Amino acid sequence: MNTETDNNEMDQDVIAFKIISNVGMAKSLTMEALYAAKEGNYELAEEKLSESKQHFKLGHKIHSKLIQMEASGEKVHPSIILMHAEDQMMSAETISELVKEMIEMYKKINK
């Protein structure tokens, strides 16, 4: 058993879980923003979007750490956990953009 490789893979799993945690929170906050806008509470919606953006940025920053690891010559081992983290990151970004547009539609409809 190669302990250095095992530790590298474990570190990558921890990084992936940090990405999942942050972008998952970003998605939840984005949906809370949509629900607030649906009720006409646009101020709360904007607060939730702002908080969501911070979590997404942190998840993205953590993801960049993996890219830097690979660029510096460290082997980044693909795993289901890492693929899930990247999938969650992409869906959080997509949902955020859609929700922003939906909030604008609520504002126009409820004028």
PDB file of all heavy atoms in Angstrom, residues 39-77:
ATOM      1  N   GLU A  39     -42.980  35.408  -2.398  1.00  0.00           N
ATOM      2  CA  GLU A  39     -43.826  36.037  -1.378  1.00  0.00           C
ATOM      3  C   GLU A  39     -43.739  37.565  -1.434  1.00  0.00           C
ATOM      4  O   GLU A  39     -44.353  38.245  -0.628  1.00  0.00           O
ATOM      5  CB  GLU A  39     -43.427  35.542   0.014  1.00  0.00           C
ATOM      6  CG  GLU A  39     -43.632  34.043   0.229  1.00  0.00           C
ATOM      7  CD  GLU A  39     -45.089  33.637   0.074  1.00  0.00           C
ATOM      8  OE1 GLU A  39     -45.972  34.362   0.571  1.00  0.00           O
ATOM      9  OE2 GLU A  39     -45.334  32.586  -0.553  1.00  0.00           O
ATOM     10  N   GLY A  40     -42.942  38.084  -2.362  1.00  0.00           N
ATOM     11  CA  GLY A  40     -42.820  39.531  -2.501  1.00  0.00           C
ATOM     12  C   GLY A  40     -41.750  40.159  -1.633  1.00  0.00           C
ATOM     13  O   GLY A  40     -41.620  41.380  -1.586  1.00  0.00           O
ATOM     14  N   ASN A  41     -40.963  39.339  -0.941  1.00  0.00           N
ATOM     15  CA  ASN A  41     -39.928  39.862  -0.054  1.00  0.00           C
ATOM     16  C   ASN A  41     -38.592  39.908  -0.825  1.00  0.00           C
ATOM     17  O   ASN A  41     -37.726  39.059  -0.667  1.00  0.00           O
ATOM     18  CB  ASN A  41     -39.807  38.983   1.196  1.00  0.00           C
ATOM     19  CG  ASN A  41     -38.955  39.611   2.267  1.00  0.00           C
ATOM     20  OD1 ASN A  41     -38.177  40.529   1.999  1.00  0.00           O
ATOM     21  ND2 ASN A  41     -39.084  39.116   3.485  1.00  0.00           N
ATOM     22  N   TYR A  42     -38.455  40.946  -1.652  1.00  0.00           N
ATOM     23  CA  TYR A  42     -37.288  41.050  -2.529  1.00  0.00           C
ATOM     24  C   TYR A  42     -36.011  41.401  -1.775  1.00  0.00           C
ATOM     25  O   TYR A  42     -34.918  41.008  -2.196  1.00  0.00           O
ATOM     26  CB  TYR A  42     -37.563  42.055  -3.650  1.00  0.00           C
ATOM     27  CG  TYR A  42     -38.765  41.660  -4.464  1.00  0.00           C
ATOM     28  CD1 TYR A  42     -39.921  42.427  -4.458  1.00  0.00           C
ATOM     29  CD2 TYR A  42     -38.762  40.492  -5.216  1.00  0.00           C
ATOM     30  CE1 TYR A  42     -41.042  42.050  -5.187  1.00  0.00           C
ATOM     31  CE2 TYR A  42     -39.871  40.102  -5.946  1.00  0.00           C
ATOM     32  CZ  TYR A  42     -41.010  40.887  -5.926  1.00  0.00           C
ATOM     33  OH  TYR A  42     -42.114  40.501  -6.640  1.00  0.00           O
ATOM     34  N   GLU A  43     -36.155  42.109  -0.676  1.00  0.00           N
ATOM     35  CA  GLU A  43     -34.979  42.433   0.134  1.00  0.00           C
ATOM     36  C   GLU A  43     -34.361  41.145   0.692  1.00  0.00           C
ATOM     37  O   GLU A  43     -33.142  40.942   0.609  1.00  0.00           O
ATOM     38  CB  GLU A  43     -35.363  43.379   1.266  1.00  0.00           C
ATOM     39  CG  GLU A  43     -34.172  43.862   2.069  1.00  0.00           C
ATOM     40  CD  GLU A  43     -34.570  44.867   3.152  1.00  0.00           C
ATOM     41  OE1 GLU A  43     -35.467  45.701   2.907  1.00  0.00           O
ATOM     42  OE2 GLU A  43     -33.982  44.793   4.240  1.00  0.00           O
ATOM     43  N   LEU A  44     -35.198  40.278   1.245  1.00  0.00           N
ATOM     44  CA  LEU A  44     -34.701  38.999   1.758  1.00  0.00           C
ATOM     45  C   LEU A  44     -34.142  38.150   0.618  1.00  0.00           C
ATOM     46  O   LEU A  44     -33.107  37.499   0.779  1.00  0.00           O
ATOM     47  CB  LEU A  44     -35.820  38.238   2.486  1.00  0.00           C
ATOM     48  CG  LEU A  44     -35.442  36.864   3.056  1.00  0.00           C
ATOM     49  CD1 LEU A  44     -34.297  36.986   4.066  1.00  0.00           C
ATOM     50  CD2 LEU A  44     -36.661  36.209   3.689  1.00  0.00           C
ATOM     51  N   ALA A  45     -34.801  38.186  -0.514  1.00  0.00           N
ATOM     52  CA  ALA A  45     -34.325  37.433  -1.675  1.00  0.00           C
ATOM     53  C   ALA A  45     -32.909  37.859  -2.051  1.00  0.00           C
ATOM     54  O   ALA A  45     -32.033  37.019  -2.305  1.00  0.00           O
ATOM     55  CB  ALA A  45     -35.274  37.603  -2.848  1.00  0.00           C
ATOM     56  N   GLU A  46     -32.663  39.163  -2.070  1.00  0.00           N
ATOM     57  CA  GLU A  46     -31.325  39.667  -2.420  1.00  0.00           C
ATOM     58  C   GLU A  46     -30.297  39.263  -1.367  1.00  0.00           C
ATOM     59  O   GLU A  46     -29.157  38.940  -1.700  1.00  0.00           O
ATOM     60  CB  GLU A  46     -31.359  41.177  -2.605  1.00  0.00           C
ATOM     61  CG  GLU A  46     -32.137  41.637  -3.824  1.00  0.00           C
ATOM     62  CD  GLU A  46     -31.623  41.053  -5.146  1.00  0.00           C
ATOM     63  OE1 GLU A  46     -30.395  40.911  -5.313  1.00  0.00           O
ATOM     64  OE2 GLU A  46     -32.464  40.731  -6.003  1.00  0.00           O
ATOM     65  N   GLU A  47     -30.700  39.286  -0.096  1.00  0.00           N
ATOM     66  CA  GLU A  47     -29.784  38.858   0.979  1.00  0.00           C
ATOM     67  C   GLU A  47     -29.405  37.392   0.797  1.00  0.00           C
ATOM     68  O   GLU A  47     -28.232  37.020   0.941  1.00  0.00           O
ATOM     69  CB  GLU A  47     -30.433  39.058   2.348  1.00  0.00           C
ATOM     70  CG  GLU A  47     -30.562  40.494   2.770  1.00  0.00           C
ATOM     71  CD  GLU A  47     -31.360  40.663   4.054  1.00  0.00           C
ATOM     72  OE1 GLU A  47     -31.577  39.663   4.789  1.00  0.00           O
ATOM     73  OE2 GLU A  47     -31.792  41.794   4.336  1.00  0.00           O
ATOM     74  N   LYS A  48     -30.396  36.564   0.491  1.00  0.00           N
ATOM     75  CA  LYS A  48     -30.142  35.130   0.298  1.00  0.00           C
ATOM     76  C   LYS A  48     -29.245  34.898  -0.913  1.00  0.00           C
ATOM     77  O   LYS A  48     -28.343  34.057  -0.874  1.00  0.00           O
ATOM     78  CB  LYS A  48     -31.453  34.353   0.133  1.00  0.00           C
ATOM     79  CG  LYS A  48     -32.344  34.364   1.361  1.00  0.00           C
ATOM     80  CD  LYS A  48     -31.746  33.552   2.480  1.00  0.00           C
ATOM     81  CE  LYS A  48     -32.676  33.495   3.679  1.00  0.00           C
ATOM     82  NZ  LYS A  48     -32.113  32.676   4.759  1.00  0.00           N
ATOM     83  N   LEU A  49     -29.468  35.655  -1.995  1.00  0.00           N
ATOM     84  CA  LEU A  49     -28.613  35.518  -3.175  1.00  0.00           C
ATOM     85  C   LEU A  49     -27.177  35.922  -2.868  1.00  0.00           C
ATOM     86  O   LEU A  49     -26.220  35.282  -3.325  1.00  0.00           O
ATOM     87  CB  LEU A  49     -29.156  36.344  -4.337  1.00  0.00           C
ATOM     88  CG  LEU A  49     -30.357  35.782  -5.073  1.00  0.00           C
ATOM     89  CD1 LEU A  49     -30.808  36.762  -6.159  1.00  0.00           C
ATOM     90  CD2 LEU A  49     -30.060  34.416  -5.675  1.00  0.00           C
ATOM     91  N   SER A  50     -27.030  36.981  -2.091  1.00  0.00           N
ATOM     92  CA  SER A  50     -25.697  37.440  -1.722  1.00  0.00           C
ATOM     93  C   SER A  50     -24.971  36.386  -0.882  1.00  0.00           C
ATOM     94  O   SER A  50     -23.792  36.088  -1.117  1.00  0.00           O
ATOM     95  CB  SER A  50     -25.800  38.755  -0.952  1.00  0.00           C
ATOM     96  OG  SER A  50     -24.529  39.188  -0.565  1.00  0.00           O
ATOM     97  N   GLU A  51     -25.679  35.835   0.090  1.00  0.00           N
ATOM     98  CA  GLU A  51     -25.097  34.787   0.938  1.00  0.00           C
ATOM     99  C   GLU A  51     -24.770  33.554   0.103  1.00  0.00           C
ATOM    100  O   GLU A  51     -23.710  32.936   0.265  1.00  0.00           O
ATOM    101  CB  GLU A  51     -26.074  34.438   2.062  1.00  0.00           C
ATOM    102  CG  GLU A  51     -25.475  33.600   3.154  1.00  0.00           C
ATOM    103  CD  GLU A  51     -26.444  33.328   4.297  1.00  0.00           C
ATOM    104  OE1 GLU A  51     -27.511  33.966   4.380  1.00  0.00           O
ATOM    105  OE2 GLU A  51     -26.122  32.441   5.104  1.00  0.00           O
ATOM    106  N   SER A  52     -25.655  33.216  -0.815  1.00  0.00           N
ATOM    107  CA  SER A  52     -25.437  32.080  -1.703  1.00  0.00           C
ATOM    108  C   SER A  52     -24.167  32.279  -2.525  1.00  0.00           C
ATOM    109  O   SER A  52     -23.361  31.356  -2.692  1.00  0.00           O
ATOM    110  CB  SER A  52     -26.640  31.911  -2.630  1.00  0.00           C
ATOM    111  OG  SER A  52     -26.356  30.981  -3.649  1.00  0.00           O
ATOM    112  N   LYS A  53     -23.991  33.477  -3.030  1.00  0.00           N
ATOM    113  CA  LYS A  53     -22.827  33.788  -3.867  1.00  0.00           C
ATOM    114  C   LYS A  53     -21.531  33.567  -3.092  1.00  0.00           C
ATOM    115  O   LYS A  53     -20.548  33.070  -3.648  1.00  0.00           O
ATOM    116  CB  LYS A  53     -22.923  35.224  -4.362  1.00  0.00           C
ATOM    117  CG  LYS A  53     -21.860  35.621  -5.347  1.00  0.00           C
ATOM    118  CD  LYS A  53     -22.112  37.038  -5.865  1.00  0.00           C
ATOM    119  CE  LYS A  53     -21.104  37.412  -6.932  1.00  0.00           C
ATOM    120  NZ  LYS A  53     -21.370  38.756  -7.464  1.00  0.00           N
ATOM    121  N   GLN A  54     -21.532  33.923  -1.811  1.00  0.00           N
ATOM    122  CA  GLN A  54     -20.329  33.738  -0.989  1.00  0.00           C
ATOM    123  C   GLN A  54     -19.986  32.258  -0.839  1.00  0.00           C
ATOM    124  O   GLN A  54     -18.810  31.874  -0.923  1.00  0.00           O
ATOM    125  CB  GLN A  54     -20.508  34.401   0.385  1.00  0.00           C
ATOM    126  CG  GLN A  54     -20.645  35.905   0.316  1.00  0.00           C
ATOM    127  CD  GLN A  54     -19.524  36.565  -0.460  1.00  0.00           C
ATOM    128  OE1 GLN A  54     -18.356  36.298  -0.240  1.00  0.00           O
ATOM    129  NE2 GLN A  54     -19.895  37.426  -1.393  1.00  0.00           N
ATOM    130  N   HIS A  55     -20.995  31.429  -0.618  1.00  0.00           N
ATOM    131  CA  HIS A  55     -20.754  29.986  -0.508  1.00  0.00           C
ATOM    132  C   HIS A  55     -20.277  29.421  -1.841  1.00  0.00           C
ATOM    133  O   HIS A  55     -19.375  28.577  -1.873  1.00  0.00           O
ATOM    134  CB  HIS A  55     -22.020  29.255  -0.044  1.00  0.00           C
ATOM    135  CG  HIS A  55     -22.262  29.375   1.416  1.00  0.00           C
ATOM    136  ND1 HIS A  55     -21.612  28.599   2.348  1.00  0.00           N
ATOM    137  CD2 HIS A  55     -23.072  30.193   2.117  1.00  0.00           C
ATOM    138  CE1 HIS A  55     -22.011  28.929   3.551  1.00  0.00           C
ATOM    139  NE2 HIS A  55     -22.909  29.902   3.442  1.00  0.00           N
ATOM    140  N   PHE A  56     -20.881  29.875  -2.936  1.00  0.00           N
ATOM    141  CA  PHE A  56     -20.459  29.387  -4.241  1.00  0.00           C
ATOM    142  C   PHE A  56     -19.009  29.769  -4.518  1.00  0.00           C
ATOM    143  O   PHE A  56     -18.213  28.959  -4.993  1.00  0.00           O
ATOM    144  CB  PHE A  56     -21.367  29.911  -5.361  1.00  0.00           C
ATOM    145  CG  PHE A  56     -20.977  29.352  -6.701  1.00  0.00           C
ATOM    146  CD1 PHE A  56     -21.388  28.082  -7.077  1.00  0.00           C
ATOM    147  CD2 PHE A  56     -20.180  30.077  -7.567  1.00  0.00           C
ATOM    148  CE1 PHE A  56     -20.993  27.540  -8.283  1.00  0.00           C
ATOM    149  CE2 PHE A  56     -19.789  29.545  -8.781  1.00  0.00           C
ATOM    150  CZ  PHE A  56     -20.203  28.273  -9.145  1.00  0.00           C
ATOM    151  N   LYS A  57     -18.647  31.012  -4.196  1.00  0.00           N
ATOM    152  CA  LYS A  57     -17.266  31.464  -4.402  1.00  0.00           C
ATOM    153  C   LYS A  57     -16.285  30.612  -3.607  1.00  0.00           C
ATOM    154  O   LYS A  57     -15.212  30.270  -4.110  1.00  0.00           O
ATOM    155  CB  LYS A  57     -17.112  32.932  -3.995  1.00  0.00           C
ATOM    156  CG  LYS A  57     -17.615  33.914  -5.002  1.00  0.00           C
ATOM    157  CD  LYS A  57     -17.345  35.339  -4.492  1.00  0.00           C
ATOM    158  CE  LYS A  57     -17.791  36.383  -5.470  1.00  0.00           C
ATOM    159  NZ  LYS A  57     -17.539  37.755  -4.964  1.00  0.00           N
ATOM    160  N   LEU A  58     -16.656  30.284  -2.382  1.00  0.00           N
ATOM    161  CA  LEU A  58     -15.781  29.454  -1.552  1.00  0.00           C
ATOM    162  C   LEU A  58     -15.640  28.062  -2.172  1.00  0.00           C
ATOM    163  O   LEU A  58     -14.531  27.520  -2.244  1.00  0.00           O
ATOM    164  CB  LEU A  58     -16.311  29.366  -0.122  1.00  0.00           C
ATOM    165  CG  LEU A  58     -15.441  28.612   0.878  1.00  0.00           C
ATOM    166  CD1 LEU A  58     -14.011  29.149   0.893  1.00  0.00           C
ATOM    167  CD2 LEU A  58     -16.052  28.696   2.261  1.00  0.00           C
ATOM    168  N   GLY A  59     -16.762  27.481  -2.617  1.00  0.00           N
ATOM    169  CA  GLY A  59     -16.694  26.176  -3.284  1.00  0.00           C
ATOM    170  C   GLY A  59     -15.820  26.225  -4.521  1.00  0.00           C
ATOM    171  O   GLY A  59     -15.022  25.317  -4.772  1.00  0.00           O
ATOM    172  N   HIS A  60     -15.944  27.294  -5.283  1.00  0.00           N
ATOM    173  CA  HIS A  60     -15.142  27.457  -6.494  1.00  0.00           C
ATOM    174  C   HIS A  60     -13.661  27.612  -6.151  1.00  0.00           C
ATOM    175  O   HIS A  60     -12.789  27.054  -6.827  1.00  0.00           O
ATOM    176  CB  HIS A  60     -15.639  28.667  -7.284  1.00  0.00           C
ATOM    177  CG  HIS A  60     -15.068  28.744  -8.650  1.00  0.00           C
ATOM    178  ND1 HIS A  60     -13.899  29.394  -8.920  1.00  0.00           N
ATOM    179  CD2 HIS A  60     -15.518  28.240  -9.835  1.00  0.00           C
ATOM    180  CE1 HIS A  60     -13.633  29.295 -10.220  1.00  0.00           C
ATOM    181  NE2 HIS A  60     -14.606  28.602 -10.786  1.00  0.00           N
ATOM    182  N   LYS A  61     -13.378  28.363  -5.090  1.00  0.00           N
ATOM    183  CA  LYS A  61     -11.993  28.552  -4.645  1.00  0.00           C
ATOM    184  C   LYS A  61     -11.377  27.212  -4.232  1.00  0.00           C
ATOM    185  O   LYS A  61     -10.221  26.927  -4.562  1.00  0.00           O
ATOM    186  CB  LYS A  61     -11.963  29.534  -3.470  1.00  0.00           C
ATOM    187  CG  LYS A  61     -10.585  29.871  -2.970  1.00  0.00           C
ATOM    188  CD  LYS A  61     -10.650  30.902  -1.842  1.00  0.00           C
ATOM    189  CE  LYS A  61      -9.284  31.228  -1.314  1.00  0.00           C
ATOM    190  NZ  LYS A  61      -9.346  32.195  -0.219  1.00  0.00           N
ATOM    191  N   ILE A  62     -12.135  26.406  -3.536  1.00  0.00           N
ATOM    192  CA  ILE A  62     -11.658  25.089  -3.118  1.00  0.00           C
ATOM    193  C   ILE A  62     -11.418  24.212  -4.353  1.00  0.00           C
ATOM    194  O   ILE A  62     -10.414  23.497  -4.429  1.00  0.00           O
ATOM    195  CB  ILE A  62     -12.666  24.430  -2.141  1.00  0.00           C
ATOM    196  CG1 ILE A  62     -12.740  25.249  -0.843  1.00  0.00           C
ATOM    197  CG2 ILE A  62     -12.279  22.989  -1.856  1.00  0.00           C
ATOM    198  CD1 ILE A  62     -13.934  24.908   0.033  1.00  0.00           C
ATOM    199  N   HIS A  63     -12.326  24.294  -5.329  1.00  0.00           N
ATOM    200  CA  HIS A  63     -12.161  23.526  -6.572  1.00  0.00           C
ATOM    201  C   HIS A  63     -10.881  23.954  -7.288  1.00  0.00           C
ATOM    202  O   HIS A  63     -10.159  23.116  -7.842  1.00  0.00           O
ATOM    203  CB  HIS A  63     -13.383  23.739  -7.474  1.00  0.00           C
ATOM    204  CG  HIS A  63     -13.338  22.955  -8.731  1.00  0.00           C
ATOM    205  ND1 HIS A  63     -12.997  23.528  -9.934  1.00  0.00           N
ATOM    206  CD2 HIS A  63     -13.585  21.642  -8.981  1.00  0.00           C
ATOM    207  CE1 HIS A  63     -13.043  22.602 -10.867  1.00  0.00           C
ATOM    208  NE2 HIS A  63     -13.391  21.449 -10.324  1.00  0.00           N
ATOM    209  N   SER A  64     -10.606  25.243  -7.267  1.00  0.00           N
ATOM    210  CA  SER A  64      -9.385  25.748  -7.907  1.00  0.00           C
ATOM    211  C   SER A  64      -8.137  25.136  -7.279  1.00  0.00           C
ATOM    212  O   SER A  64      -7.116  24.954  -7.956  1.00  0.00           O
ATOM    213  CB  SER A  64      -9.321  27.271  -7.802  1.00  0.00           C
ATOM    214  OG  SER A  64     -10.369  27.851  -8.534  1.00  0.00           O
ATOM    215  N   LYS A  65      -8.227  24.806  -6.000  1.00  0.00           N
ATOM    216  CA  LYS A  65      -7.102  24.173  -5.302  1.00  0.00           C
ATOM    217  C   LYS A  65      -6.760  22.836  -5.965  1.00  0.00           C
ATOM    218  O   LYS A  65      -5.584  22.510  -6.147  1.00  0.00           O
ATOM    219  CB  LYS A  65      -7.468  23.968  -3.831  1.00  0.00           C
ATOM    220  CG  LYS A  65      -6.361  23.445  -2.968  1.00  0.00           C
ATOM    221  CD  LYS A  65      -6.815  23.377  -1.508  1.00  0.00           C
ATOM    222  CE  LYS A  65      -5.705  22.932  -0.605  1.00  0.00           C
ATOM    223  NZ  LYS A  65      -6.126  22.910   0.798  1.00  0.00           N
ATOM    224  N   LEU A  66      -7.774  22.080  -6.372  1.00  0.00           N
ATOM    225  CA  LEU A  66      -7.529  20.818  -7.070  1.00  0.00           C
ATOM    226  C   LEU A  66      -6.845  21.059  -8.409  1.00  0.00           C
ATOM    227  O   LEU A  66      -5.939  20.322  -8.797  1.00  0.00           O
ATOM    228  CB  LEU A  66      -8.845  20.072  -7.313  1.00  0.00           C
ATOM    229  CG  LEU A  66      -9.454  19.338  -6.146  1.00  0.00           C
ATOM    230  CD1 LEU A  66     -10.804  18.752  -6.545  1.00  0.00           C
ATOM    231  CD2 LEU A  66      -8.532  18.235  -5.652  1.00  0.00           C
ATOM    232  N   ILE A  67      -7.303  22.069  -9.111  1.00  0.00           N
ATOM    233  CA  ILE A  67      -6.710  22.396 -10.409  1.00  0.00           C
ATOM    234  C   ILE A  67      -5.245  22.791 -10.227  1.00  0.00           C
ATOM    235  O   ILE A  67      -4.373  22.357 -10.985  1.00  0.00           O
ATOM    236  CB  ILE A  67      -7.516  23.510 -11.109  1.00  0.00           C
ATOM    237  CG1 ILE A  67      -8.916  22.994 -11.446  1.00  0.00           C
ATOM    238  CG2 ILE A  67      -6.797  24.006 -12.357  1.00  0.00           C
ATOM    239  CD1 ILE A  67      -9.889  24.052 -11.894  1.00  0.00           C
ATOM    240  N   GLN A  68      -4.960  23.573  -9.188  1.00  0.00           N
ATOM    241  CA  GLN A  68      -3.581  23.976  -8.906  1.00  0.00           C
ATOM    242  C   GLN A  68      -2.722  22.773  -8.539  1.00  0.00           C
ATOM    243  O   GLN A  68      -1.558  22.699  -8.934  1.00  0.00           O
ATOM    244  CB  GLN A  68      -3.556  25.005  -7.781  1.00  0.00           C
ATOM    245  CG  GLN A  68      -4.131  26.341  -8.175  1.00  0.00           C
ATOM    246  CD  GLN A  68      -4.320  27.267  -6.985  1.00  0.00           C
ATOM    247  OE1 GLN A  68      -4.114  26.903  -5.827  1.00  0.00           O
ATOM    248  NE2 GLN A  68      -4.729  28.502  -7.271  1.00  0.00           N
ATOM    249  N   MET A  69      -3.304  21.831  -7.788  1.00  0.00           N
ATOM    250  CA  MET A  69      -2.568  20.616  -7.427  1.00  0.00           C
ATOM    251  C   MET A  69      -2.128  19.879  -8.687  1.00  0.00           C
ATOM    252  O   MET A  69      -0.964  19.485  -8.816  1.00  0.00           O
ATOM    253  CB  MET A  69      -3.434  19.691  -6.558  1.00  0.00           C
ATOM    254  CG  MET A  69      -3.632  20.152  -5.138  1.00  0.00           C
ATOM    255  SD  MET A  69      -4.899  19.206  -4.224  1.00  0.00           S
ATOM    256  CE  MET A  69      -4.240  17.545  -4.301  1.00  0.00           C
ATOM    257  N   GLU A  70      -3.066  19.697  -9.604  1.00  0.00           N
ATOM    258  CA  GLU A  70      -2.745  18.971 -10.823  1.00  0.00           C
ATOM    259  C   GLU A  70      -1.757  19.753 -11.687  1.00  0.00           C
ATOM    260  O   GLU A  70      -0.831  19.177 -12.263  1.00  0.00           O
ATOM    261  CB  GLU A  70      -4.005  18.645 -11.613  1.00  0.00           C
ATOM    262  CG  GLU A  70      -3.732  17.699 -12.774  1.00  0.00           C
ATOM    263  CD  GLU A  70      -4.981  17.054 -13.303  1.00  0.00           C
ATOM    264  OE1 GLU A  70      -5.804  17.794 -13.884  1.00  0.00           O
ATOM    265  OE2 GLU A  70      -5.122  15.838 -13.146  1.00  0.00           O
ATOM    266  N   ALA A  71      -1.925  21.063 -11.763  1.00  0.00           N
ATOM    267  CA  ALA A  71      -1.019  21.888 -12.558  1.00  0.00           C
ATOM    268  C   ALA A  71       0.407  21.849 -12.016  1.00  0.00           C
ATOM    269  O   ALA A  71       1.369  21.986 -12.771  1.00  0.00           O
ATOM    270  CB  ALA A  71      -1.530  23.328 -12.602  1.00  0.00           C
ATOM    271  N   SER A  72       0.542  21.647 -10.707  1.00  0.00           N
ATOM    272  CA  SER A  72       1.877  21.598 -10.102  1.00  0.00           C
ATOM    273  C   SER A  72       2.479  20.190 -10.158  1.00  0.00           C
ATOM    274  O   SER A  72       3.554  19.962  -9.611  1.00  0.00           O
ATOM    275  CB  SER A  72       1.834  22.096  -8.656  1.00  0.00           C
ATOM    276  OG  SER A  72       1.135  21.180  -7.839  1.00  0.00           O
ATOM    277  N   GLY A  73       1.783  19.280 -10.815  1.00  0.00           N
ATOM    278  CA  GLY A  73       2.346  17.942 -11.001  1.00  0.00           C
ATOM    279  C   GLY A  73       1.776  16.860 -10.108  1.00  0.00           C
ATOM    280  O   GLY A  73       2.105  15.685 -10.271  1.00  0.00           O
ATOM    281  N   GLU A  74       0.952  17.240  -9.134  1.00  0.00           N
ATOM    282  CA  GLU A  74       0.319  16.225  -8.296  1.00  0.00           C
ATOM    283  C   GLU A  74      -0.760  15.519  -9.098  1.00  0.00           C
ATOM    284  O   GLU A  74      -1.470  16.136  -9.878  1.00  0.00           O
ATOM    285  CB  GLU A  74      -0.325  16.852  -7.061  1.00  0.00           C
ATOM    286  CG  GLU A  74       0.642  17.203  -5.971  1.00  0.00           C
ATOM    287  CD  GLU A  74      -0.089  17.643  -4.711  1.00  0.00           C
ATOM    288  OE1 GLU A  74      -0.870  16.843  -4.158  1.00  0.00           O
ATOM    289  OE2 GLU A  74       0.124  18.797  -4.313  1.00  0.00           O
ATOM    290  N   LYS A  75      -0.871  14.239  -8.896  1.00  0.00           N
ATOM    291  CA  LYS A  75      -1.897  13.471  -9.590  1.00  0.00           C
ATOM    292  C   LYS A  75      -3.233  13.672  -8.881  1.00  0.00           C
ATOM    293  O   LYS A  75      -3.353  13.448  -7.692  1.00  0.00           O
ATOM    294  CB  LYS A  75      -1.523  11.980  -9.613  1.00  0.00           C
ATOM    295  CG  LYS A  75      -2.519  11.095 -10.289  1.00  0.00           C
ATOM    296  CD  LYS A  75      -2.531  11.331 -11.788  1.00  0.00           C
ATOM    297  CE  LYS A  75      -3.501  10.361 -12.436  1.00  0.00           C
ATOM    298  NZ  LYS A  75      -4.043  10.859 -13.672  1.00  0.00           N
ATOM    299  N   VAL A  76      -4.226  14.146  -9.621  1.00  0.00           N
ATOM    300  CA  VAL A  76      -5.586  14.268  -9.092  1.00  0.00           C
ATOM    301  C   VAL A  76      -6.349  13.046  -9.580  1.00  0.00           C
ATOM    302  O   VAL A  76      -6.487  12.838 -10.784  1.00  0.00           O
ATOM    303  CB  VAL A  76      -6.268  15.576  -9.550  1.00  0.00           C
ATOM    304  CG1 VAL A  76      -7.720  15.607  -9.113  1.00  0.00           C
ATOM    305  CG2 VAL A  76      -5.512  16.777  -9.005  1.00  0.00           C
ATOM    306  N   HIS A  77      -6.788  12.236  -8.641  1.00  0.00           N
ATOM    307  CA  HIS A  77      -7.456  10.980  -8.980  1.00  0.00           C
ATOM    308  C   HIS A  77      -8.956  11.208  -9.134  1.00  0.00           C
ATOM    309  O   HIS A  77      -9.613  11.645  -8.194  1.00  0.00           O
ATOM    310  CB  HIS A  77      -7.195   9.926  -7.883  1.00  0.00           C
ATOM    311  CG  HIS A  77      -5.749   9.666  -7.669  1.00  0.00           C
ATOM    312  ND1 HIS A  77      -5.013   8.855  -8.497  1.00  0.00           N
ATOM    313  CD2 HIS A  77      -4.878  10.141  -6.744  1.00  0.00           C
ATOM    314  CE1 HIS A  77      -3.762   8.825  -8.091  1.00  0.00           C
ATOM    315  NE2 HIS A  77      -3.647   9.597  -7.025  1.00  0.00           N
TER     316      HIS A  77
END
